[in-house]
Amino acid sequence: MAGAELIGKEECKEVMDVLGTGIFARYSFDKERQGVWKVRDFEKAFAKYFGATYALGVTSGSAALKVALTALDVGPGDEVICPAFTFMATYEAVLEVGGIPVMADIDDTLNLDPDDITNKITSRTKAVIPVHMCGAPARIDRIMKVAKKNKLLVLEDNAQGCGASYKGKMLGSFGHMGIFSFDHYKTITTGEGGMIITNDLDLYHRAEWYHDHGHDHLSTVHRALDGRTILGFNYRMNEFQGALGLAQLRKLKKVIAAQRKNKAALKEAFAPIPGLKFRLIPDPDGDSATFLAFNLPAEEQTKAFQKALKAEGIDTTRFKDNFWHYVPNWEHFLAKSTAQTKNPFKDPRNRKVTYSRKSIPHAEDLLGRTLIMGVNVIMPAAKLKAIRKGIANAAKVL
Ligand SMILES: *Cc1c(COP(=O)(O)O)cnc(C)c1O
């Protein structure tokens, strides 16, 4: 649960600043807001923290994906390679802009397999979305190499890896653009919210214009007289989200340090189990430690262990069963059941693409025998002790 566990007086103070001015919108009201610009400050602090030149706050992580894909000019006729293991928003965003998501396999990191990108490239492939699932990096260096060689744009979906890094560089800062989510479950939270980062001024401008009806935000003139180049929509972050984000970002280091400590303790409890292997993390020092993932040699054994853990009060997820994070389980997606009957799947500019379990053998195998558990920030010694005991008891079924 991460940042949500630490909501306290710091968040209250930031939000009270906003209530004090009565200006909840991020733009305009320069005089009335009495110098309070929470979204702007949050963006500045965020860009600095993540080593990016520009950051743009938006309404959600899903909106961030859509705004970024729009800035990258992905649209009808374009294909975007996405991993089979991700949250649905990654695929939905591609459809939202009129493109077609192409499903690729994962590797031992549980993230997009760089080698499978090459298998999935067609003349229509425009971009690839590596997703750093459960707080740990994909093989992002290799993914960037494959993308560069094939002239693909890279949008990092780092909704789950806020504060994680790969060889000292923050996740989200490798691709042409990177996105973050601040929904309630994420590493830091603003209730709902998202961020886009990039080092490219042109991409930043396109995202900034698009997320706010084309306003250029550059001028000193009244907002109604702003310059404009492209049409857009409204995905603006509000000042309350900015306020919460500022307070939460200051706690990010603490969140991650606590999770790392608690994850190490949990790993110790699982380590003696014969045949159990922890998820491969290409750079363990960069793990944000929001989740602990491990696998057993066989699927049936994994199911039995999960059941035994549950009986001890320890919840884990086996993502092959999961409704929201594994493409083969999205019956509405597979049925191409979008809200509009005229949808990208039927658009003649797009190629017909299939999503079969057979095309993702590694995900089918690995997600069937992997269990994932959330790591809390706050873990009292008594709770850890009970979990350790529960793990030892559950292990008797193996
Ligand atoms: C949470 C999440 C999103 C969407 O973020 P929201 O803020 O909930 O819209 C996108 N991608 C991944 C991988 C996520 O986990």
Side-chain angles (χ1 to χ4, degrees), residues 279-292:
R279 168 194 192 178
L280 187 128
I281 296 185
D283 175 13
D285 293 338
D287 182 13
S288 70
T290 43
F291 289 89
L292 170 64

PDB file of all heavy atoms in Angstrom, residues 279-292:
ATOM      1  N   ARG A 279      12.008 -14.082  -7.988  1.00  0.00           N
ATOM      2  CA  ARG A 279      11.974 -13.435  -9.299  1.00  0.00           C
ATOM      3  C   ARG A 279      13.340 -12.845  -9.627  1.00  0.00           C
ATOM      4  O   ARG A 279      13.991 -12.262  -8.755  1.00  0.00           O
ATOM      5  CB  ARG A 279      10.947 -12.300  -9.238  1.00  0.00           C
ATOM      6  CG  ARG A 279      10.966 -11.351 -10.405  1.00  0.00           C
ATOM      7  CD  ARG A 279      10.156 -10.117 -10.043  1.00  0.00           C
ATOM      8  NE  ARG A 279       9.891  -9.269 -11.188  1.00  0.00           N
ATOM      9  CZ  ARG A 279       9.176  -8.154 -11.124  1.00  0.00           C
ATOM     10  NH1 ARG A 279       8.648  -7.768  -9.983  1.00  0.00           N
ATOM     11  NH2 ARG A 279       8.975  -7.430 -12.203  1.00  0.00           N
ATOM     12  N   LEU A 280      13.736 -12.973 -10.889  1.00  0.00           N
ATOM     13  CA  LEU A 280      15.008 -12.388 -11.297  1.00  0.00           C
ATOM     14  C   LEU A 280      14.859 -10.868 -11.426  1.00  0.00           C
ATOM     15  O   LEU A 280      13.982 -10.390 -12.153  1.00  0.00           O
ATOM     16  CB  LEU A 280      15.449 -12.981 -12.628  1.00  0.00           C
ATOM     17  CG  LEU A 280      16.849 -12.554 -13.031  1.00  0.00           C
ATOM     18  CD1 LEU A 280      17.690 -13.761 -13.361  1.00  0.00           C
ATOM     19  CD2 LEU A 280      16.807 -11.598 -14.194  1.00  0.00           C
ATOM     20  N   ILE A 281      15.676 -10.148 -10.697  1.00  0.00           N
ATOM     21  CA  ILE A 281      15.648  -8.680 -10.787  1.00  0.00           C
ATOM     22  C   ILE A 281      16.984  -8.231 -11.371  1.00  0.00           C
ATOM     23  O   ILE A 281      18.029  -8.461 -10.763  1.00  0.00           O
ATOM     24  CB  ILE A 281      15.380  -8.050  -9.397  1.00  0.00           C
ATOM     25  CG1 ILE A 281      13.978  -8.485  -8.928  1.00  0.00           C
ATOM     26  CG2 ILE A 281      15.503  -6.529  -9.450  1.00  0.00           C
ATOM     27  CD1 ILE A 281      13.488  -7.886  -7.653  1.00  0.00           C
ATOM     28  N   PRO A 282      16.960  -7.656 -12.595  1.00  0.00           N
ATOM     29  CA  PRO A 282      18.214  -7.379 -13.301  1.00  0.00           C
ATOM     30  C   PRO A 282      19.151  -6.446 -12.532  1.00  0.00           C
ATOM     31  O   PRO A 282      20.357  -6.523 -12.710  1.00  0.00           O
ATOM     32  CB  PRO A 282      17.787  -6.738 -14.614  1.00  0.00           C
ATOM     33  CG  PRO A 282      16.315  -6.751 -14.660  1.00  0.00           C
ATOM     34  CD  PRO A 282      15.778  -7.296 -13.376  1.00  0.00           C
ATOM     35  N   ASP A 283      18.589  -5.579 -11.685  1.00  0.00           N
ATOM     36  CA  ASP A 283      19.440  -4.771 -10.817  1.00  0.00           C
ATOM     37  C   ASP A 283      18.776  -4.712  -9.445  1.00  0.00           C
ATOM     38  O   ASP A 283      17.962  -3.837  -9.178  1.00  0.00           O
ATOM     39  CB  ASP A 283      19.614  -3.352 -11.381  1.00  0.00           C
ATOM     40  CG  ASP A 283      20.401  -2.472 -10.425  1.00  0.00           C
ATOM     41  OD1 ASP A 283      21.008  -3.011  -9.474  1.00  0.00           O
ATOM     42  OD2 ASP A 283      20.398  -1.241 -10.620  1.00  0.00           O
ATOM     43  N   PRO A 284      19.136  -5.660  -8.538  1.00  0.00           N
ATOM     44  CA  PRO A 284      18.460  -5.740  -7.235  1.00  0.00           C
ATOM     45  C   PRO A 284      18.551  -4.429  -6.449  1.00  0.00           C
ATOM     46  O   PRO A 284      17.649  -4.104  -5.691  1.00  0.00           O
ATOM     47  CB  PRO A 284      19.196  -6.873  -6.507  1.00  0.00           C
ATOM     48  CG  PRO A 284      19.873  -7.660  -7.581  1.00  0.00           C
ATOM     49  CD  PRO A 284      20.174  -6.715  -8.698  1.00  0.00           C
ATOM     50  N   ASP A 285      19.636  -3.674  -6.639  1.00  0.00           N
ATOM     51  CA  ASP A 285      19.773  -2.407  -5.905  1.00  0.00           C
ATOM     52  C   ASP A 285      18.727  -1.376  -6.333  1.00  0.00           C
ATOM     53  O   ASP A 285      18.493  -0.398  -5.635  1.00  0.00           O
ATOM     54  CB  ASP A 285      21.168  -1.796  -6.123  1.00  0.00           C
ATOM     55  CG  ASP A 285      22.252  -2.649  -5.497  1.00  0.00           C
ATOM     56  OD1 ASP A 285      21.919  -3.431  -4.584  1.00  0.00           O
ATOM     57  OD2 ASP A 285      23.413  -2.538  -5.930  1.00  0.00           O
ATOM     58  N   GLY A 286      18.129  -1.599  -7.509  1.00  0.00           N
ATOM     59  CA  GLY A 286      17.164  -0.631  -8.018  1.00  0.00           C
ATOM     60  C   GLY A 286      15.715  -0.995  -7.728  1.00  0.00           C
ATOM     61  O   GLY A 286      14.803  -0.265  -8.103  1.00  0.00           O
ATOM     62  N   ASP A 287      15.512  -2.122  -7.051  1.00  0.00           N
ATOM     63  CA  ASP A 287      14.148  -2.605  -6.759  1.00  0.00           C
ATOM     64  C   ASP A 287      13.451  -1.635  -5.796  1.00  0.00           C
ATOM     65  O   ASP A 287      14.019  -1.272  -4.773  1.00  0.00           O
ATOM     66  CB  ASP A 287      14.278  -3.994  -6.118  1.00  0.00           C
ATOM     67  CG  ASP A 287      12.949  -4.645  -5.809  1.00  0.00           C
ATOM     68  OD1 ASP A 287      11.921  -4.163  -6.298  1.00  0.00           O
ATOM     69  OD2 ASP A 287      12.966  -5.651  -5.068  1.00  0.00           O
ATOM     70  N   SER A 288      12.220  -1.242  -6.124  1.00  0.00           N
ATOM     71  CA  SER A 288      11.485  -0.390  -5.185  1.00  0.00           C
ATOM     72  C   SER A 288      10.846  -1.237  -4.089  1.00  0.00           C
ATOM     73  O   SER A 288      10.316  -0.703  -3.124  1.00  0.00           O
ATOM     74  CB  SER A 288      10.426   0.445  -5.903  1.00  0.00           C
ATOM     75  OG  SER A 288       9.377  -0.372  -6.346  1.00  0.00           O
ATOM     76  N   ALA A 289      10.901  -2.541  -4.260  1.00  0.00           N
ATOM     77  CA  ALA A 289      10.499  -3.494  -3.207  1.00  0.00           C
ATOM     78  C   ALA A 289       9.039  -3.361  -2.778  1.00  0.00           C
ATOM     79  O   ALA A 289       8.701  -3.616  -1.627  1.00  0.00           O
ATOM     80  CB  ALA A 289      11.443  -3.396  -2.004  1.00  0.00           C
ATOM     81  N   THR A 290       8.180  -2.983  -3.710  1.00  0.00           N
ATOM     82  CA  THR A 290       6.753  -2.905  -3.387  1.00  0.00           C
ATOM     83  C   THR A 290       6.121  -4.291  -3.323  1.00  0.00           C
ATOM     84  O   THR A 290       5.083  -4.472  -2.704  1.00  0.00           O
ATOM     85  CB  THR A 290       5.988  -2.082  -4.445  1.00  0.00           C
ATOM     86  OG1 THR A 290       6.463  -2.460  -5.728  1.00  0.00           O
ATOM     87  CG2 THR A 290       6.194  -0.595  -4.252  1.00  0.00           C
ATOM     88  N   PHE A 291       6.747  -5.249  -4.016  1.00  0.00           N
ATOM     89  CA  PHE A 291       6.216  -6.618  -4.042  1.00  0.00           C
ATOM     90  C   PHE A 291       7.354  -7.628  -3.927  1.00  0.00           C
ATOM     91  O   PHE A 291       8.479  -7.363  -4.340  1.00  0.00           O
ATOM     92  CB  PHE A 291       5.489  -6.892  -5.366  1.00  0.00           C
ATOM     93  CG  PHE A 291       4.180  -6.166  -5.496  1.00  0.00           C
ATOM     94  CD1 PHE A 291       4.135  -4.889  -6.050  1.00  0.00           C
ATOM     95  CD2 PHE A 291       2.991  -6.748  -5.071  1.00  0.00           C
ATOM     96  CE1 PHE A 291       2.931  -4.195  -6.176  1.00  0.00           C
ATOM     97  CE2 PHE A 291       1.783  -6.070  -5.189  1.00  0.00           C
ATOM     98  CZ  PHE A 291       1.751  -4.797  -5.746  1.00  0.00           C
ATOM     99  N   LEU A 292       7.010  -8.793  -3.396  1.00  0.00           N
ATOM    100  CA  LEU A 292       7.937  -9.919  -3.391  1.00  0.00           C
ATOM    101  C   LEU A 292       7.345 -10.992  -4.304  1.00  0.00           C
ATOM    102  O   LEU A 292       6.176 -11.359  -4.153  1.00  0.00           O
ATOM    103  CB  LEU A 292       8.088 -10.478  -1.978  1.00  0.00           C
ATOM    104  CG  LEU A 292       8.851 -11.802  -1.867  1.00  0.00           C
ATOM    105  CD1 LEU A 292      10.305 -11.646  -2.311  1.00  0.00           C
ATOM    106  CD2 LEU A 292       8.803 -12.325  -0.433  1.00  0.00           C
TER     107      LEU A 292
END
